[in-house]
Amino acid sequence: MVEIRLKNSKSRKIEVLQPIIPGKVSMYLCGPTVYDRAHMGNARSAVVFDQLFRLLRHVYGAENVTFVRNFTDVDDKINARAAEEGREISDLTAETAQWYLDDTRALGVLDPNHMPRATGYIAEMIAFIEDLIARDFAYARDGHVLFRVRRFDDYGALSGRSVDDMIAGARVEVAPYKEDPMDFVLWKPSTDDIPGWESPWGRGRPGWHIECSAMAHALLGESFDIHGGGADLMFPHHENEVAQSCAAGHGFANIWMHNEMLQVEGRKMSKSLGNFFTVRELLEKGIPGEVIRFVMLSTHYGKPMDWTEKKRAEAEKTLRKWYGLAEAGDAVPEAVVTALADDLNTHQALAVMHKLNGADLGAALSLMGLWSGTVPDWAQGGDAADLSAYATRLSEAREAAMQSKDFAAVDALKSALTAAGVEVRMSKEGVDLVPGPDFDAAKLEGL
Ligand SMILES: [Zn+2]
């Protein structure tokens, strides 16, 4: 079996993946808080761990890999957004979770084996918190339950910080119900207008961190192989997950993996810089999901990734070429698997693929989540060139119709283009044809 080596954020070393149950691998990834469209940074995490999931399935067999990615559907940001829009919370979270699935699937992200919603595991969270109280790692006060950070000796080990440094540097909240400013919330009271569940501490709702500990425990058991997430989650979220689960006597995750952040044209993506975009915005601009995925995988997950227009154009060119060369196949060349097994070196895997063609290339494209056996519509025959030929025909037909006053040919051509998913824009200046999201070049054949 191929040996997979991964950089463990906890030990800061490259380690050989040695599954707890030989031959079977379990993985947990912190999923989205569902109140808005996934942005490109969210998508990077989804794509990186999907690529790891695909590698694990390739090496261990799909039936031997269990991958859990949660939806956080109880959160104060969700409550605030629902209030702002005057909507039901459940309606907002259901819609946003579906958006997340639509957008990530468009990037070739496979559905994990389990996609638990936090609100489906409230009873498990309450039981988990009761256990932490019984072990003296947590205490209840004024309707809140807090984790007693200073009682957990290893606190800070994952992110490499000491508790005192954290207090000095962090925005720790001092509150009357806390024994120590570092203590974090496991449970908090809910007013009548926001979601709440009955608990031994009154009507309330869970803190964010306990959700992942409880869901990972319920679905993967006390110990599992890999825990993933964006580097921005390492502290405090992952540090708190470790504290809760290990204080409860669980082994929790053996290997921790964190993907680095995403930039745009060399700058941090932010709403104030005007370079913040969602996956949906790029897809609607006509950038294919395969192209977005290719750009994401062209940088190693452990490095900051820069989204640039240049990379997008190159990715599109390369993929068009590869789709022309590839044939269906399932024997992935060893060099591609070896690159991925080397701490998920997707950059190297893509570099290797430049030397492939035929069934080898097809199999490699499938493993990279870039091909499902047929050439995607956008890459068929170079739609841009084809459409310009139709644009010329349409404007010539229009000119002729101006003379003859017979617009039948123009209308027929227009409706055929529309039926093929092309947006037809006719003005005095000329004819503009824009392929829409449903553009199907095959429907133009024989026109
Ligand atoms: Zn989490």
Side-chain angles (χ1 to χ4, degrees):
M1 189 176 285
V2 180
E3 189 177 87
I4 297 178
R5 296 178 309 129
L6 301 168
K7 168 99 184 279
N8 189 347
S9 311
K10 198 160 78 178
S11 64
R12 292 160 187 80
K13 290 194 179 91
I14 301 274
E15 294 179 13
V16 174
L17 172 64
Q18 289 174 309
I20 296 162
I21 302 168
K24 290 187 185 292
V25 188
S26 47
M27 174 160 79
Y28 186 92
L29 173 65
C30 294
T33 299
V34 281
Y35 66 101
D36 211 344
R37 282 277 183 193
H39 60 69
M40 291 292 280
N42 305 137
R44 187 179 190 198
S45 186
V47 167
V48 161
F49 289 97
D50 175 69
Q51 193 56 51
L52 181 57
F53 182 40
R54 286 172 180 271
L55 171 69
L56 294 170
R57 286 159 58 102
H58 179 78
V59 172
Y60 288 88
E63 66 284 6
N64 293 316
V65 182
T66 309
F67 178 27
V68 179
R69 184 189 67 205
N70 72 294
F71 285 111
T72 293
D73 61 349
V74 48
D75 186 277
D76 290 348
K77 288 195 281 288
I78 297 172
N79 300 339
R81 179 64 61 92
E84 205 177 289
E85 295 182 356
R87 309 174 58 177
E88 287 290 329
I89 286 168
S90 56
D91 179 47
L92 172 70
T93 58
E95 180 185 63
T96 316
Q98 189 57 49
W99 283 350
Y100 183 83
L101 290 176
D102 294 344
D103 294 350
T104 54
R105 284 171 185 160
L107 305 185
V109 173
L110 300 172
D111 286 353
N113 305 92
H114 301 278
M115 297 190 278
R117 289 168 195 234
T119 51
Y121 288 80
I122 300 289
E124 286 82 352
M125 293 176 209
I126 291 174
F128 205 115
I129 295 169
E130 286 186 302
D131 184 40
L132 289 174
I133 294 175
R135 291 166 184 263
D136 204 31
F137 276 105
Y139 56 93
R141 196 151 305 163
D142 300 340
H144 294 74
V145 183
L146 292 122
F147 188 89
R148 197 172 263 135
V149 166
R150 291 203 188 256
R151 200 172 123 63
F152 185 70
D153 289 340
D154 274 346
Y155 195 80
L158 176 66
S159 55
R161 304 163 190 231
S162 77
V163 173
D164 293 321
D165 285 350
M166 286 184 260
I167 291 190
R171 296 161 292 172
V172 285
E173 189 195 352
V174 181
Y177 50 80
K178 284 186 174 183
E179 285 179 2
D180 185 289
M182 277 310 287
D183 294 349
F184 61 85
V185 167
L186 299 170
W187 188 265
K188 54 189 167 185
S190 290
T191 50
D192 289 341
D193 56 335
I194 52 175
W197 290 263
E198 289 310 321
S199 81
W201 320 287
R203 185 176 175 278
R205 62 198 192 283
W208 172 33
H209 317 299
I210 194 68
E211 294 176 8
C212 289
S213 284
M215 288 186 278
H217 180 231
L219 293 163
L220 297 176
E222 294 193 354
S223 301
F224 54 94
D225 297 307
I226 302 167
H227 191 311
D232 55 333
L233 296 184
M234 190 164 349
F235 180 81
H237 184 53
H238 291 163
E239 200 70 72
N240 291 353
E241 284 186 24
V242 172
Q244 295 158 166
S245 293
C246 295
H250 307 166
F252 209 46
N254 274 357
I255 293 184
W256 281 85
M257 290 177 70
H258 291 94
N259 66 280
E260 267 302 330
M261 299 293 98
L262 181 133
Q263 302 177 325
V264 176
E265 306 286 354
R267 303 176 81 183
K268 186 174 187 257
M269 187 173 76
S270 81
K271 285 192 171 136
S272 59
L273 288 175
N275 64 356
F276 180 96
F277 33 74
T278 65
V279 176
R280 180 54 43 184
E281 282 162 346
L282 288 192
L283 293 170
E284 280 176 357
K285 268 168 111 184
I287 301 177
E290 292 89 348
V291 170
I292 299 174
R293 183 179 180 100
F294 185 109
V295 174
M296 296 227 170
L297 294 179
S298 63
T299 299
H300 186 263
Y301 75 89
K303 293 183 183 154
M305 200 217 103
D306 199 14
W307 173 271
T308 64
E309 170 52 27
K310 190 167 166 251
K311 284 187 188 172
R312 184 213 56 78
E314 274 169 17
E316 186 173 328
K317 204 172 127 207
T318 303
L319 281 172
R320 278 184 192 277
K321 185 179 144 205
W322 285 357
Y323 291 137
L325 294 171
E327 287 162 26
D330 40 40
V332 183
E334 205 186 317
V336 175
V337 179
T338 307
L340 294 177
D342 177 17
D343 193 26
L344 203 66
N345 194 338
T346 51
H347 174 82
Q348 178 61 20
L350 292 170
V352 167
M353 286 166 66
H354 280 284
K355 296 174 201 128
L356 304 177
N357 57 40
D360 285 348
L361 181 57
L365 280 166
S366 301
L367 179 61
M368 298 302 282
L370 294 167
W371 199 36
S372 51
T374 51
V375 178
D377 291 344
W378 64 265
Q380 279 178 3
D383 55 33
D386 282 353
L387 285 182
S388 77
Y390 288 108
T392 309
R393 268 175 63 183
L394 190 54
S395 54
E396 284 169 4
R398 183 170 63 166
E399 253 169 62
M402 297 289 207
Q403 304 295 324
S404 67
K405 306 287 172 213
D406 176 4
F407 285 85
V410 174
D411 291 340
L413 193 50
K414 254 174 80 176
S415 42
L417 285 162
T418 308
V422 180
E423 195 190 324
V424 181
R425 297 177 191 158
M426 298 178 82
S427 65
K428 279 187 197 126
E429 283 72 44
V431 174
D432 221 2
L433 300 181
V434 184
D438 300 325
F439 174 59
D440 183 356
K443 289 190 183 155
L444 293 175
E445 274 168 32
L447 187 66

